[in-house]
Amino acid sequence: MATLKAVRGTRDLLPPETALWNRIEATARDVFARYNFGEIRTPIIEDTSLFSRSVGEETDIVSKEMFTWQDRGRLRSDHAQSLTLRPENTAGVVRAYVEHKLGDAGQLQKFYYIGPQFRRERPMKGRYRQFSQIGAEVIGPPHAGSESPLRDAEVLEMLATLLDELGINGWTLELNSVGSAADRARYNETLRQALIPVAPKMCEDCQRRAVTNPLRVLDCKVPEDQPIIDTLPKIADSLDDDSKSHFAAVTAALDAAGVPYTRNHRLVRGLDYYTRTTFEFTHGGLGAQNALLGGGRYDGLSEAIGGPKAPGIGFAMGEDRLVLTLQALEAAKPEKADAYIAPLGETVNAAALALARELRRGGLTVELGDGSFRLKKSFDAADRTARRIIIMGEDEVASGILTVKDFSTGIQTKVPRAELAGVLKTPGGK
Ligand code: HAM
């Protein structure tokens, strides 16, 4: 019988790597709490039209990457509904904001989320069909200050803090403004005209995009096309005065806070709901899929799904990519247990369990062997899992004096049981 495997583009996360995932999530929750964000958990399944109306019918995500099916319900007479595994979480958060009339509170709503997203992309390193995002959204009625450029700057400053606290050095913040919906439409037309004479010299994808969706030409990675793209008009020149001054206020606040950024005129992002500020944080260690996170402002999204005016800004980080980056930076060495208890023979098994219980309840991480432990054979395995080994034979049980060996120094000491926890808590070798 053929063995069953995880579905293409999905994977099992195993220890010790899962410890790193948990550490990333704990750090993110801690930072979000300090900026006064609360957690939101929206369903993984949503009505398909939520994404076509927000992310946009013409985007790659909606047109070819969604896991969608017709759900009939239980009865023959039930109306078939098109359902989709969420490819991103901003649309779901804004739907929840509208559904629960959260704007009526008259305040800014600040949410964060951590969870799986699904896109049928071609899998490669850093790109999966099921991946996890850690994201946040700030949304509210205009009179609550949701359009203020200070909100944009604060979100970006929070991200810089979060990446620093995660230990991700060497990130780059790429920043741009795509202006209002009208600015973008104007730019799209300018670009379409500018592409007419040059498109025939470009790659096949660009030739198609020049007609169907000129903005996407800016995402092209084909080396030969880059000099041509560099000569195309920039979106900055299509922005109206409001969009320009909004962007200037965002960058002024970032300068004041000391958050470094570079302007990337080509950063237009692949989702239709963006207005004004757009950004990505990239990291060189990631290779082709170098975006650690992406986000921006979406001032018309609530109205697009039938809600009240509720400008917002947010981002989502690819958690899988954070893990890859930390692993590459070697900041992610798995933690060893504090001690390995090695009972020498079946007769001391029970006493070993009692000792393990005592130490674990005292906050130590303890691996417990059993009476089959053989000094020579099992030593290496213990070395791989713990920083120290506690040898426990019948003599040790009787005398209450244990033999403790520190694997990093090779030094072996006799420790009275009452002092054991204290000794194990001292740093010693890793
Ligand atoms: P996005 O740029 O589509 O934006 O995704 C955000 C991040 O999710 C990416 O930068 C990347 O790190 C990660 N990501 C995306 N696709 C994959 C994949 N197939 N495998 C692994 N990681 C992936 C959004 O999703 C927007 N909802 C962000 C946002 C929030 N904008 C405003 N608020």
Side-chain angles (χ1 to χ4, degrees):
M1 207 196 294
T3 51
L4 287 168
K5 292 190 168 159
V7 171
R8 181 168 146 81
T10 72
R11 46 210 186 111
D12 302 307
L13 303 176
L14 307 170
E17 190 184 295
T18 38
L20 181 55
W21 285 74
N22 286 333
R23 183 168 73 69
I24 290 170
E25 290 169 17
T27 305
R29 286 177 194 281
D30 182 60
V31 171
F32 291 145
R34 274 186 273 147
Y35 286 76
N36 208 22
F37 281 71
E39 183 172 6
I40 184 167
R41 300 188 190 198
T42 62
I44 285 170
I45 304 171
E46 296 275 5
D47 194 298
T48 305
S49 62
L50 172 66
F51 303 110
S52 38
R53 284 161 67 179
S54 58
V55 174
E57 204 87 63
E58 300 297 320
T59 59
D60 282 355
I61 295 178
V62 173
S63 66
K64 52 188 185 203
E65 293 172 359
M66 296 205 303
F67 290 92
T68 295
W69 69 100
Q70 293 294 323
D71 197 87
R72 284 218 136 266
R74 286 163 59 98
L75 303 174
R76 244 169 220 281
S77 56
D78 280 348
H79 212 63
Q81 187 184 10
S82 177
L83 300 180
T84 290
L85 294 183
R86 64 182 184 197
E88 60 94 76
N89 215 352
T90 309
V93 169
V94 178
R95 180 203 44 72
Y97 173 90
V98 174
E99 184 170 338
H100 301 289
K101 300 189 170 44
L102 300 180
D104 291 358
Q107 290 168 349
L108 282 184
Q109 303 289 320
K110 296 163 72 175
F111 302 114
Y112 78 86
Y113 48 83
I114 301 177
Q117 319 293 331
F118 303 84
R119 296 183 193 176
R120 193 186 280 106
E121 295 195 80
R122 194 166 52 78
M124 60 190 288
K125 190 179 174 209
R127 190 165 74 192
Y128 311 99
R129 290 183 168 184
Q130 177 176 339
F131 57 99
S132 177
Q133 284 186 340
I134 301 178
E137 314 289 349
V138 181
I139 179 170
H143 64 80
S146 54
E147 276 181 288
S148 167
L150 186 59
R151 298 278 76 87
D152 309 42
E154 188 187 24
V155 161
L156 291 164
E157 186 279 322
M158 174 170 80
L159 277 166
T161 299
L162 176 51
L163 291 176
D164 287 345
E165 292 196 13
L166 286 170
I168 297 192
N169 308 314
W171 50 260
T172 303
L173 161 55
E174 299 186 15
L175 195 60
N176 199 16
S177 174
V178 293
S180 63
D183 294 341
R184 234 191 11 251
R186 202 166 39 244
Y187 179 58
N188 219 25
E189 202 36 50
T190 309
L191 209 51
R192 194 187 301 277
Q193 295 302 325
L195 280 164
I196 293 172
V198 291
K201 295 177 225 147
M202 301 180 80
C203 72
E204 251 176 57
D205 279 344
C206 281
Q207 294 190 21
R208 185 172 37 80
R209 291 171 184 146
V211 182
T212 58
N213 194 352
L215 279 182
R216 296 269 70 80
V217 167
L218 304 181
D219 294 335
C220 172
K221 299 271 181 341
V222 174
E224 294 75 25
D225 288 355
Q226 302 310 306
I228 301 178
I229 295 172
D230 287 341
T231 64
L232 293 172
K234 295 186 171 45
I235 197 163
D237 300 323
S238 295
L239 301 187
D240 64 16
D241 287 346
D242 274 357
S243 298
K244 277 187 191 150
S245 61
H246 192 276
F247 189 69
V250 174
T251 53
L254 289 177
D255 290 338
V259 177
Y261 57 85
T262 56
R263 177 99 188 239
N264 178 352
H265 290 282
R266 285 171 57 172
L267 188 73
V268 288
R269 309 264 307 131
L271 299 87
D272 279 355
Y273 52 61
Y274 289 114
T275 52
R276 299 199 265 198
T277 313
T278 51
F279 57 86
E280 283 183 4
F281 281 68
T282 55
H283 197 280
L286 277 168
Q289 302 302 310
N290 70 349
L292 277 175
L293 67 95
R297 200 164 249 297
Y298 43 85
D299 295 343
L301 175 50
S302 170
E303 289 112 303
I305 60 168
K309 193 166 166 50
I313 178 159
F315 64 85
M317 334 176 62
E319 196 176 358
D320 306 70
R321 297 188 190 173
L322 295 176
V323 169
L324 283 171
T325 309
L326 284 171
Q327 285 170 335
L329 289 170
E330 283 192 327
K333 289 218 181 77
E335 279 281 309
K336 286 186 168 185
D338 296 306
Y340 185 104
I341 301 178
L344 300 183
E346 307 291 329
T347 52
V348 279
N349 270 353
L353 177 65
L355 177 64
R357 172 173 161 89
E358 188 179 308
L359 297 175
R360 286 167 174 159
R361 287 169 79 104
L364 290 156
T365 307
V366 174
E367 190 65 60
L368 177 61
D370 82 307
S372 65
F373 188 90
R374 294 292 164 266
L375 272 182
K376 272 213 181 76
K377 217 177 85 205
S378 311
F379 229 77
D380 285 349
D383 190 1
R384 278 195 293 277
T385 42
R387 295 188 289 126
R388 295 183 172 96
I389 186 165
I390 303 168
I391 312 285
M392 209 176 175
E394 283 180 7
D395 289 352
E396 281 85 357
V397 175
S399 67
I401 311 263
L402 296 138
T403 305
V404 178
K405 180 166 177 167
D406 186 317
F407 282 122
S408 68
T409 58
I411 295 171
Q412 193 160 308
T413 43
K414 300 267 183 209
V415 182
R417 185 164 177 153
E419 292 167 25
L420 191 59
V423 168
L424 296 177
K425 280 179 184 157
T426 58
K430 286 252 169 200

